[in-house]
Every structure is written in C-alpha cells, then in structure tokens.
Amino acid sequence: MSLIFKSAARALGALLCAATLLGAAQAGPVTALSGHAYMSAANEPFDDFSNAQAMNAAFGQNWNRLQFGSAFSNYSLLYIDGGDLASTEMVSFLAQNRSALESYVLGGGRLFINAATDQQSPFDLVFGASSVEQSIDNRSNSGSAVNPGSDLFSGAGDNWLGYYFGHNTLSTDSSYSALIRDEQGRTVLAGGFFGNGYVMLGGQTNTVFHEGLNGSDPVQLRVNELLYTLNTQPGRVDEPATLALLAISLTALVVVRRSRRGL
C-alpha cells in the first residue's frame, strides 16, 4: 500500500508541477517597465490640453510627453491620442510600429490608444482591431457604460453626452470586451488582455467636448481610463492545456484514494 501511494503521489506532484510550469510558459516573460508616457503630435489634439491634464490627475508629475516616433518600450503605460490634426501622424505611426506595440503589450506593457480622427479611412489598431471614422452626421453623441459596476466608472457615472462624444467606432473580435457604447449600440471604448499586458482602445474626442449627464463626470472618466489601463488585472482564465493537465492530476488523485481503500 505504501509503495503504491508513494508512486502515485510522486506522479501527482510531477503533473501539478508541469501544469504550473506550462501556465508560466504560456504567459511569457514579463519586461521590467516603469513610468508613464503620453504620445501625440507636436501640437495637442484639438489644440486642447485636457489629455495632459488627465495625465497629471492620474500620475502627478510621473509621466513624459512624447511625439510620434519616440521610443516607448520601457514605459509601464503608453497613452496614444491621435485625435483631430494628429490623426495622420498617428495612423502612419501605427502602420510602422504595430508589431513593436504588440510586442510591448505581450511583454507586460499597458497601452491606451484613443483617436477621434479627421479625414481618415478605416485603419488598423493592434491585435486585429480597427477604427472606423464616422461621417459628421453619424458620429457618437453620447456614451453609456456597458458594465456600470466596473471600477472603470467609479466616480465618473455611467452615461455622458458630447458634441461629439466620439468620432470613431471600433471593430474588434472576442479578444476584446466592449466598455462603452454609443446611442446606436456601437463600441466606442473596448479593452482586452494580451500576453502579460492590456490594451484599451477608444474613439472618443477630448473631454472638452463632453458633458455630464445626471451628475456624471467625463473628466473623471478619462482619468479612470488611464488608471484602469495601468492597473486592471485579469480574472483567472485557465488555458485548455492547463485544464487538461489539471484533469490528469485529479484523475491521479482519484487513483491514489481508490488504491488506499482497496489495500
């Protein structure tokens, strides 16, 4: 009995160890990152400084203002805004740096790309998502939280108005979750985990064009978007291979118990 039990226990331990190591391997290495950055064109989108003010509210003085083309790989958070006249430069930057941005996220970076673009065709973002600029008579006039109970909306409310609230809507696959939708049900803000990092994507205008509804605070919303991008963590999601190993481990445990009963 002792020999059978010890052998099964060793097998169980080995399988559990393999499951743990496999889970770690699937996640990939985590890059050491620090600090925060806001990237746009030389001039602020819409000639308005509300994005910089949101960075100040979220991080104090612990952030850097970058222009398109600057190095970004060592920052823990990268906020890119290509609204208004910055949109041509942003679309070009994304086309040239998409692989680098995706690698940055997979290694642990937190990325927020927001753009209410001007005269842009639909363009690719990252990880299969794309942004569609709506015609002037079809833009988003309001936004509503998909999950009002989320920390993303704490102190910001769950409905906002704007002129416009957004120029762009998002096309994403199931890797992303819709966070804010407009009055037509189109996604204006979405987010998803990739590797060790997180991506938030938006089509919102600057908060100077927004207004609260029933006490909501669009300025706080933008601050929350930055903090949520940096700090949100995934719930436990077991990968199929890990689940398979766990099932084998549980089977081994059953064998051990039955062996102990039978001898």
Side-chain angles (χ1 to χ4, degrees), residues 118-231:
D118 179 62
Q119 299 183 34
Q120 297 296 314
S121 299
F123 56 92
D124 292 333
L125 294 164
V126 289
F127 296 109
S130 59
S131 182
V132 181
E133 182 182 326
Q134 301 296 332
S135 62
I136 194 167
D137 58 349
N138 196 37
R139 292 173 177 172
S140 302
N141 292 307
S142 65
S144 299
V146 173
N147 178 15
S150 169
D151 290 343
L152 174 59
F153 306 112
S154 178
D158 52 28
N159 289 276
W160 312 268
L161 299 175
Y163 186 75
Y164 296 92
F165 184 79
H167 287 185
N168 299 53
T169 57
L170 303 172
S171 175
T172 64
D173 62 19
S174 59
S175 301
Y176 291 90
S177 297
L179 302 172
I180 294 177
R181 293 194 174 104
D182 69 6
E183 68 278 4
Q184 298 184 50
R186 302 173 298 187
T187 300
V188 183
L189 189 75
F193 292 95
F194 298 88
N196 292 298
Y198 181 79
V199 175
M200 182 178 284
L201 303 174
Q204 306 156 113
T205 56
N206 285 25
T207 57
V208 69
F209 301 109
H210 299 176
E211 61 182 87
L213 182 64
N214 298 323
S216 65
D217 186 345
V219 174
Q220 185 63 49
L221 174 63
R222 185 59 52 88
V223 175
N224 286 5
E225 289 168 354
L226 294 167
L227 292 172
Y228 190 87
T229 300
L230 178 64
N231 295 318

Side-chain angles (χ1 to χ4, degrees), residues 227-239:
L227 292 172
Y228 190 87
T229 300
L230 178 64
N231 295 318
T232 188
Q233 298 295 328
R236 180 178 177 182
V237 180
D238 291 312
E239 298 291 340

Side-chain angles (χ1 to χ4, degrees), residues 16 19-20 23 26 193 232-247 249-250:
L16 289 172
T20 301
Q26 289 173 335
F193 292 95
T232 188
Q233 298 295 328
R236 180 178 177 182
V237 180
D238 291 312
E239 298 291 340
T242 305
L243 287 172
L245 282 173
L246 180 59
S249 300
L250 292 173

Side-chain angles (χ1 to χ4, degrees), residues 49-115:
F49 288 87
S50 59
N51 292 332
Q53 291 164 356
M55 290 292 290
N56 282 333
F59 309 118
Q61 299 301 310
N62 185 28
W63 64 278
N64 290 332
R65 173 64 160 86
L66 307 179
Q67 294 185 31
F68 292 120
S70 301
F72 58 84
S73 60
N74 291 328
Y75 291 99
S76 55
L77 171 92
L78 176 63
Y79 169 32
I80 297 173
D81 198 304
D84 191 38
L85 298 181
S87 56
T88 300
E89 287 186 57
M90 185 202 66
V91 171
S92 177
F93 173 79
L94 291 176
Q96 296 173 26
N97 294 275
R98 186 166 294 108
S99 294
L101 288 166
E102 291 177 349
S103 295
Y104 163 75
V105 173
L106 293 172
R110 300 303 183 101
L111 176 64
F112 178 20
I113 304 176
N114 184 66

